[in-house]
Amino acid sequence: MSKAFINHFLLFIVLLVGIILSLSLGSVSIPFQDILKSLFGLSIENSTWDYIIVNYRLPKTITAILIGSGLAVSGLLMQTLFRNPLAGPYVLGLSSGASLGVAFLIMGASLLSGFFGEFLFSKWAIILSASGGSLVVMLAVLSTAQRVKDTMTLLIIGLMVASLTSAIVSVLAYFSSSNELQLYIFWSFGSLGNLSWQEVGILSICWFIGLSFAIFCLKNLNALLLGENYAKSMGVQLKKNRILIIVSTSILAGSATALAGPIAFVGLAVPHLVRQLVPTNDHRILLPSIILGGAILMLFCDIIAQLPGSESTLPINAVTSIFGAPVVIWLLLRKRKLNF
């Protein structure tokens, strides 16, 4: 039995524990046997418990798994593409593009009234605006990727796009009302618990499409670790491969941001945390571990954010940042220590 299989098995067991805890813990205490009955479609005495499990906790758990694993895979792709341990899924400006779309929607909605004004404040309008903002940035990055030969240039352009969109959001915020600012800030906190089954289905489709692109790039990712010149000598089509990686990252990270808001540090931290358990650079082994690790981290962060036994909840973006920031600090100190 290989070490990689054992590591994957251990991660899968931890994931199952996280799923059980996510379904069991919350502001309402529900017996575990009733949770199992509800999941298998059996009737339970308290219909309210059944509604909570089927329409709130189960979609939230699935959402945490999909978003956590999707962001983690996006982070792995970006770190490999740019050969930079501090690159994350939002380094190309996707999150900033989504934030700009939502900012335009929320802070410009006061100009409209009636039906359109009510629609603009709906959840679907926010999802569409965030998707539109991410799509615009993705198209701009794809257009740039076809023109430049150096991935470092692409990285700098992505960072500049993020800075530009953040500046525009700041200008909009300066001229907006307190209610509009509050609504925008609440969206920026991120949330895993507001998705319906229909939205979970859309997220699942995006997850499968984005992951399919990532799997298609696996062999080329191993070659990229040794540099673009080596990858080119091995027959890798750099521009085509770069576009596939960007499309995969955009779908995975863009759909997560559109449906759950910006969630920081998961894509940056998980690849490094998983490499401590699975010390390999072979992406064929890393990818399953990254998927499991991202899902585990997001599940446990969401459990902490729910403050089990309390009616209050913490912003998921804040909880992931609390876990992710120390990892970034550790990376910077380690990089300085090793002098590279």
Side-chain angles (χ1 to χ4, degrees), residues 23 38-39 50-63 66 123-124 193-205 259:
L23 293 173
S38 180
L39 292 177
D50 185 65
Y51 181 84
I52 291 174
I53 295 168
V54 174
N55 294 289
Y56 180 74
R57 291 189 182 179
L58 185 57
K60 180 170 65 69
T61 299
I62 296 174
T63 300
L66 294 176
K123 183 167 64 173
W124 274 108
N194 295 327
L195 271 66
S196 65
W197 278 112
Q198 183 180 12
E199 292 159 352
V200 171
I202 294 173
L203 179 63
S204 301
I205 293 172
L259 291 166

Short mmCIF file of all heavy atoms in Angstrom, two decimals, residues 23 38-39 50-63 66 123-124 193-205 259:
data_model
loop_
_atom_site.label_atom_id
_atom_site.label_comp_id
_atom_site.label_asym_id
_atom_site.label_seq_id
_atom_site.Cartn_x
_atom_site.Cartn_y
_atom_site.Cartn_z
N LEU A 23 -22.95 18.87 9.82
CA LEU A 23 -24.38 18.57 9.84
C LEU A 23 -24.94 18.54 11.26
O LEU A 23 -26.14 18.77 11.46
CB LEU A 23 -24.64 17.22 9.17
CG LEU A 23 -24.37 17.14 7.66
CD1 LEU A 23 -24.50 15.71 7.17
CD2 LEU A 23 -25.34 18.04 6.90
N SER A 38 -33.10 11.85 8.45
CA SER A 38 -33.46 12.92 7.51
C SER A 38 -32.67 12.79 6.21
O SER A 38 -33.22 12.97 5.12
CB SER A 38 -33.21 14.28 8.15
OG SER A 38 -33.55 15.32 7.27
N LEU A 39 -31.38 12.45 6.32
CA LEU A 39 -30.55 12.32 5.12
C LEU A 39 -30.99 11.16 4.24
O LEU A 39 -30.88 11.22 3.01
CB LEU A 39 -29.08 12.13 5.52
CG LEU A 39 -28.39 13.33 6.18
CD1 LEU A 39 -26.97 12.98 6.58
CD2 LEU A 39 -28.37 14.53 5.23
N ASP A 50 -36.05 18.48 10.31
CA ASP A 50 -35.90 17.97 8.95
C ASP A 50 -35.67 19.11 7.96
O ASP A 50 -34.82 19.02 7.06
CB ASP A 50 -37.14 17.16 8.56
CG ASP A 50 -36.98 16.50 7.20
OD1 ASP A 50 -36.12 15.62 7.07
OD2 ASP A 50 -37.72 16.89 6.27
N TYR A 51 -36.40 20.20 8.12
CA TYR A 51 -36.24 21.36 7.24
C TYR A 51 -34.86 21.97 7.40
O TYR A 51 -34.20 22.33 6.41
CB TYR A 51 -37.31 22.40 7.55
CG TYR A 51 -37.23 23.63 6.67
CD1 TYR A 51 -37.83 23.64 5.42
CD2 TYR A 51 -36.54 24.76 7.09
CE1 TYR A 51 -37.74 24.76 4.60
CE2 TYR A 51 -36.44 25.88 6.28
CZ TYR A 51 -37.04 25.87 5.04
OH TYR A 51 -36.95 26.97 4.23
N ILE A 52 -34.38 22.09 8.64
CA ILE A 52 -33.06 22.67 8.90
C ILE A 52 -31.96 21.84 8.25
O ILE A 52 -31.04 22.37 7.62
CB ILE A 52 -32.82 22.79 10.42
CG1 ILE A 52 -33.75 23.85 11.02
CG2 ILE A 52 -31.36 23.14 10.72
CD1 ILE A 52 -33.69 23.93 12.53
N ILE A 53 -32.09 20.51 8.38
CA ILE A 53 -31.05 19.63 7.83
C ILE A 53 -31.05 19.65 6.31
O ILE A 53 -30.01 19.83 5.68
CB ILE A 53 -31.25 18.19 8.35
CG1 ILE A 53 -31.06 18.13 9.86
CG2 ILE A 53 -30.29 17.23 7.66
CD1 ILE A 53 -31.52 16.83 10.49
N VAL A 54 -32.21 19.47 5.71
CA VAL A 54 -32.31 19.31 4.25
C VAL A 54 -32.13 20.63 3.51
O VAL A 54 -31.50 20.67 2.44
CB VAL A 54 -33.66 18.67 3.88
CG1 VAL A 54 -33.83 18.62 2.36
CG2 VAL A 54 -33.76 17.27 4.46
N ASN A 55 -32.64 21.72 4.05
CA ASN A 55 -32.64 22.98 3.33
C ASN A 55 -31.61 24.00 3.81
O ASN A 55 -31.47 25.06 3.19
CB ASN A 55 -34.03 23.62 3.40
CG ASN A 55 -35.07 22.79 2.67
OD1 ASN A 55 -35.09 22.72 1.45
ND2 ASN A 55 -35.94 22.15 3.43
N TYR A 56 -30.91 23.69 4.89
CA TYR A 56 -29.90 24.63 5.35
C TYR A 56 -28.55 23.95 5.57
O TYR A 56 -27.56 24.30 4.92
CB TYR A 56 -30.34 25.33 6.64
CG TYR A 56 -29.32 26.32 7.14
CD1 TYR A 56 -29.14 27.54 6.49
CD2 TYR A 56 -28.51 26.03 8.22
CE1 TYR A 56 -28.19 28.45 6.91
CE2 TYR A 56 -27.55 26.94 8.66
CZ TYR A 56 -27.40 28.14 8.00
OH TYR A 56 -26.44 29.03 8.43
N ARG A 57 -28.48 22.97 6.45
CA ARG A 57 -27.18 22.39 6.81
C ARG A 57 -26.56 21.58 5.68
O ARG A 57 -25.36 21.68 5.42
CB ARG A 57 -27.31 21.54 8.07
CG ARG A 57 -27.58 22.36 9.31
CD ARG A 57 -27.48 21.52 10.59
NE ARG A 57 -27.80 22.31 11.77
CZ ARG A 57 -27.82 21.83 13.01
NH1 ARG A 57 -27.52 20.55 13.22
NH2 ARG A 57 -28.12 22.62 14.03
N LEU A 58 -27.36 20.76 4.99
CA LEU A 58 -26.82 19.94 3.91
C LEU A 58 -26.34 20.79 2.73
O LEU A 58 -25.21 20.58 2.25
CB LEU A 58 -27.84 18.90 3.46
CG LEU A 58 -27.37 17.89 2.42
CD1 LEU A 58 -26.14 17.13 2.92
CD2 LEU A 58 -28.49 16.91 2.05
N PRO A 59 -27.13 21.77 2.24
CA PRO A 59 -26.60 22.63 1.17
C PRO A 59 -25.35 23.40 1.61
O PRO A 59 -24.43 23.57 0.82
CB PRO A 59 -27.77 23.59 0.88
CG PRO A 59 -28.98 22.89 1.37
CD PRO A 59 -28.55 22.06 2.53
N LYS A 60 -25.33 23.85 2.86
CA LYS A 60 -24.17 24.59 3.36
C LYS A 60 -22.93 23.70 3.39
O LYS A 60 -21.83 24.14 3.05
CB LYS A 60 -24.47 25.15 4.75
CG LYS A 60 -23.32 25.94 5.37
CD LYS A 60 -23.78 26.65 6.63
CE LYS A 60 -24.16 25.66 7.71
NZ LYS A 60 -22.99 24.92 8.25
N THR A 61 -23.09 22.45 3.81
CA THR A 61 -21.97 21.51 3.85
C THR A 61 -21.44 21.23 2.45
O THR A 61 -20.21 21.24 2.22
CB THR A 61 -22.41 20.20 4.52
OG1 THR A 61 -22.84 20.46 5.86
CG2 THR A 61 -21.27 19.20 4.55
N ILE A 62 -22.33 20.99 1.50
CA ILE A 62 -21.91 20.74 0.12
C ILE A 62 -21.23 21.97 -0.46
O ILE A 62 -20.21 21.88 -1.16
CB ILE A 62 -23.12 20.32 -0.74
CG1 ILE A 62 -23.68 18.98 -0.24
CG2 ILE A 62 -22.71 20.21 -2.21
CD1 ILE A 62 -24.96 18.56 -0.93
N THR A 63 -21.78 23.15 -0.16
CA THR A 63 -21.18 24.39 -0.63
C THR A 63 -19.77 24.57 -0.10
O THR A 63 -18.85 24.95 -0.83
CB THR A 63 -22.04 25.60 -0.20
OG1 THR A 63 -23.35 25.47 -0.75
CG2 THR A 63 -21.43 26.90 -0.67
N LEU A 66 -17.41 22.19 -2.02
CA LEU A 66 -17.15 22.61 -3.40
C LEU A 66 -16.29 23.86 -3.45
O LEU A 66 -15.32 23.94 -4.23
CB LEU A 66 -18.48 22.87 -4.12
CG LEU A 66 -19.38 21.64 -4.35
CD1 LEU A 66 -20.71 22.07 -4.97
CD2 LEU A 66 -18.68 20.63 -5.24
N LYS A 123 -30.85 38.60 -4.49
CA LYS A 123 -29.64 37.76 -4.43
C LYS A 123 -29.15 37.40 -5.82
O LYS A 123 -27.93 37.38 -6.07
CB LYS A 123 -29.95 36.51 -3.62
CG LYS A 123 -28.74 35.61 -3.42
CD LYS A 123 -28.99 34.56 -2.36
CE LYS A 123 -30.08 33.61 -2.76
NZ LYS A 123 -30.23 32.48 -1.82
N TRP A 124 -30.08 37.12 -6.74
CA TRP A 124 -29.67 36.74 -8.08
C TRP A 124 -28.98 37.89 -8.81
O TRP A 124 -28.06 37.68 -9.60
CB TRP A 124 -30.88 36.27 -8.88
CG TRP A 124 -31.18 34.82 -8.67
CD1 TRP A 124 -32.23 34.29 -7.98
CD2 TRP A 124 -30.42 33.71 -9.13
NE1 TRP A 124 -32.17 32.92 -7.97
CE2 TRP A 124 -31.06 32.53 -8.67
CE3 TRP A 124 -29.24 33.58 -9.87
CZ2 TRP A 124 -30.57 31.26 -8.94
CZ3 TRP A 124 -28.75 32.31 -10.14
CH2 TRP A 124 -29.42 31.17 -9.68
N GLY A 193 -23.98 29.90 3.81
CA GLY A 193 -25.28 29.38 4.24
C GLY A 193 -26.48 29.97 3.56
O GLY A 193 -27.61 29.71 3.98
N ASN A 194 -26.29 30.75 2.51
CA ASN A 194 -27.44 31.40 1.87
C ASN A 194 -27.78 30.82 0.51
O ASN A 194 -28.55 31.41 -0.25
CB ASN A 194 -27.15 32.90 1.71
CG ASN A 194 -27.04 33.60 3.05
OD1 ASN A 194 -27.71 33.23 4.02
ND2 ASN A 194 -26.18 34.61 3.12
N LEU A 195 -27.21 29.67 0.16
CA LEU A 195 -27.44 29.11 -1.17
C LEU A 195 -28.59 28.11 -1.16
O LEU A 195 -28.67 27.26 -0.28
CB LEU A 195 -26.17 28.41 -1.68
CG LEU A 195 -25.18 29.28 -2.47
CD1 LEU A 195 -24.58 30.34 -1.57
CD2 LEU A 195 -24.09 28.42 -3.09
N SER A 196 -29.45 28.24 -2.16
CA SER A 196 -30.53 27.28 -2.36
C SER A 196 -29.99 26.06 -3.10
O SER A 196 -28.85 26.06 -3.58
CB SER A 196 -31.67 27.92 -3.15
OG SER A 196 -31.23 28.25 -4.46
N TRP A 197 -30.82 25.02 -3.21
CA TRP A 197 -30.39 23.83 -3.94
C TRP A 197 -30.12 24.15 -5.41
O TRP A 197 -29.24 23.55 -6.03
CB TRP A 197 -31.45 22.74 -3.81
CG TRP A 197 -31.35 21.97 -2.54
CD1 TRP A 197 -32.23 21.96 -1.50
CD2 TRP A 197 -30.28 21.08 -2.15
NE1 TRP A 197 -31.78 21.14 -0.48
CE2 TRP A 197 -30.60 20.58 -0.86
CE3 TRP A 197 -29.11 20.66 -2.75
CZ2 TRP A 197 -29.77 19.69 -0.18
CZ3 TRP A 197 -28.27 19.77 -2.09
CH2 TRP A 197 -28.61 19.30 -0.82
N GLN A 198 -30.88 25.07 -5.98
CA GLN A 198 -30.66 25.47 -7.37
C GLN A 198 -29.28 26.11 -7.55
O GLN A 198 -28.55 25.80 -8.50
CB GLN A 198 -31.75 26.45 -7.81
CG GLN A 198 -31.65 26.86 -9.28
CD GLN A 198 -32.74 27.84 -9.67
OE1 GLN A 198 -33.44 28.38 -8.82
NE2 GLN A 198 -32.88 28.08 -10.97
N GLU A 199 -28.90 26.97 -6.60
CA GLU A 199 -27.59 27.62 -6.66
C GLU A 199 -26.47 26.63 -6.39
O GLU A 199 -25.40 26.72 -7.00
CB GLU A 199 -27.56 28.78 -5.66
CG GLU A 199 -28.48 29.91 -6.04
CD GLU A 199 -28.85 30.81 -4.87
OE1 GLU A 199 -28.49 30.45 -3.71
OE2 GLU A 199 -29.49 31.84 -5.09
N VAL A 200 -26.71 25.66 -5.51
CA VAL A 200 -25.72 24.61 -5.27
C VAL A 200 -25.50 23.79 -6.54
O VAL A 200 -24.38 23.39 -6.86
CB VAL A 200 -26.15 23.70 -4.10
CG1 VAL A 200 -25.23 22.49 -3.98
CG2 VAL A 200 -26.15 24.47 -2.79
N GLY A 201 -26.58 23.55 -7.29
CA GLY A 201 -26.47 22.83 -8.55
C GLY A 201 -25.62 23.59 -9.57
O GLY A 201 -24.78 22.99 -10.25
N ILE A 202 -25.83 24.91 -9.65
CA ILE A 202 -25.01 25.73 -10.56
C ILE A 202 -23.54 25.70 -10.15
O ILE A 202 -22.65 25.55 -10.98
CB ILE A 202 -25.54 27.18 -10.57
CG1 ILE A 202 -26.95 27.21 -11.17
CG2 ILE A 202 -24.60 28.10 -11.35
CD1 ILE A 202 -27.63 28.57 -11.07
N LEU A 203 -23.31 25.82 -8.84
CA LEU A 203 -21.94 25.76 -8.33
C LEU A 203 -21.29 24.41 -8.64
O LEU A 203 -20.10 24.34 -9.01
CB LEU A 203 -21.93 26.02 -6.82
CG LEU A 203 -20.58 25.98 -6.12
CD1 LEU A 203 -19.66 27.07 -6.65
CD2 LEU A 203 -20.75 26.13 -4.61
N SER A 204 -22.06 23.32 -8.53
CA SER A 204 -21.53 21.99 -8.81
C SER A 204 -21.12 21.85 -10.27
O SER A 204 -20.07 21.27 -10.58
CB SER A 204 -22.58 20.92 -8.46
OG SER A 204 -22.94 20.99 -7.11
N ILE A 205 -21.94 22.38 -11.17
CA ILE A 205 -21.62 22.32 -12.60
C ILE A 205 -20.33 23.08 -12.89
O ILE A 205 -19.43 22.59 -13.60
CB ILE A 205 -22.78 22.89 -13.43
CG1 ILE A 205 -24.02 21.97 -13.31
CG2 ILE A 205 -22.38 23.04 -14.89
CD1 ILE A 205 -25.27 22.55 -13.93
N LEU A 259 -21.10 33.24 -5.94
CA LEU A 259 -22.17 32.63 -5.16
C LEU A 259 -21.98 32.75 -3.65
O LEU A 259 -22.96 32.73 -2.90
CB LEU A 259 -22.30 31.15 -5.53
CG LEU A 259 -22.84 30.89 -6.94
CD1 LEU A 259 -22.61 29.45 -7.35
CD2 LEU A 259 -24.32 31.22 -7.02
#
